[in-house]
Amino acid sequence: MKYLRIGRPGYETPVALTGGKYYDLSGPIGDIDGEFLARGGIGTTAGFPEIDIAGERIAPPIAKPSAIVCIGMNYAAHCAESGAEPPAEPVVFYKHPNTIVGPNDDVEIPRASTRTDWEVELGVVFGKRASYLESEAQALDCIAGFVVANDLSEREFQIERSGGQFSKGKACPTFTPLGPYLVTPDEIADPQALRMWSKVNGEIRQDSNSKDMIFSVARIIHHMSQFMAFDPGDLLLTGTPEGVALSGRFPYLAAGDVVSVGIEGLGHTENPTVQA
């Protein structure tokens, strides 16, 4: 099953995609949020009307996560291009949930920014509370679905002006494009075997695979559950591979660019950039 949301901001309609057909879930479902995911989503589209989504805005596929928890430096080659050693334990930072936008919405280049960067990431959305989990298998059982994310980053804000934390450079408005779908785990045979890529103006930047993670999805969730609790609907971003502008190999984003990120089986985002 794939879930998505359509419509203008604040008036989104939840939709299910299965068998090549779209179904309107509005009404009894409410929205694709923590409450819906904690109930296990829907088992069948029987009783829901088909819907034509042609011409509709594709919104972020999840509504109102209470937290966006991010893992940094989770690919060895990205550590190398960033001038950092691979970490012994997961590096954690947070993004504000209000940074989330849809897969085709405008991305704003922050005022005074000269170093806005892209990062394709595998996003994990929780369907169960994850706290003090006993095993990595139990960690995987907490997942409601997977989503494509672009963890946009302003490197000067993140590094030179950080004050010791990444979040200044990570939490600018529009800095978390998501979508187009939330894909349920039964459609993803192995989250550690997914091709990941990013492009700017159609030119490839990142081209890697989730198998290159230092800490697997299951290990991250199990490890982090010893320190914090994830609630249904929360979003976990699991790190980015090499190929970002921070490497010095590519120019940073500027207003007018189009940045796209994609993951095998999950779809892709394609966001125009504008000046804030």
Side-chain angles (χ1 to χ4, degrees), residues 68-86:
I68 305 176
V69 180
C70 309
I71 304 300
M73 303 297 175
N74 197 28
Y75 289 77
H78 177 57
C79 293
E81 71 178 357
S82 303
E85 292 294 323

Side-chain angles (χ1 to χ4, degrees), residues 21-22 73 75 137-138 140 184 206 231-232 268:
K21 297 180 179 179
Y22 296 91
M73 303 297 175
Y75 289 77
Q138 192 178 16
L140 291 174
T184 53
Q206 295 169 281
D231 287 328
H268 71 278

Side-chain angles (χ1 to χ4, degrees), residues 178-228:
L178 289 183
Y181 313 112
L182 175 65
V183 181
T184 53
D186 59 292
E187 294 202 9
I188 302 299
D190 183 358
Q192 303 305 146
L194 301 175
R195 181 178 174 240
M196 311 168 64
W197 54 264
S198 64
K199 297 179 182 180
V200 177
N201 301 327
E203 297 182 357
I204 198 74
R205 293 294 187 257
Q206 295 169 281
D207 192 356
S208 190
N209 195 290
S210 60
K211 69 182 180 182
D212 295 329
M213 287 184 187
I214 297 170
F215 307 106
S216 69
V217 170
R219 187 175 177 191
I220 292 168
I221 296 171
H222 175 254
H223 174 85
M224 290 306 304
S225 78
Q226 313 308 311
F227 302 93
M228 62 175 290

Side-chain angles (χ1 to χ4, degrees), residues 1-5 14-15 25 28-43 60-67 124-129 141-147 178 181-185 231-236:
M1 186 82 69
K2 292 182 174 71
Y3 296 113
L4 64 156
R5 299 164 69 244
V15 174
L25 304 184
I29 293 302
D31 209 343
I32 301 171
D33 55 15
E35 182 179 348
F36 170 74
L37 297 172
R39 296 196 303 264
I42 59 171
I62 58 172
K64 301 175 292 220
S66 61
V124 176
V125 180
F126 289 82
K128 297 179 180 178
R129 183 175 171 85
D141 188 53
C142 293
I143 297 174
F146 299 96
V147 64
L178 289 183
Y181 313 112
L182 175 65
V183 181
T184 53
D231 287 328
D234 284 352
L235 174 63
L236 170 68

Side-chain angles (χ1 to χ4, degrees), residues 115-119 151-155 158 169-170 175:
R115 295 170 64 188
T116 296
D117 207 346
W118 57 86
E119 293 189 357
D151 176 20
L152 287 152
S153 312
E154 211 298 332
R155 300 304 188 186
Q158 177 191 350
K170 297 284 190 173
F175 262 28

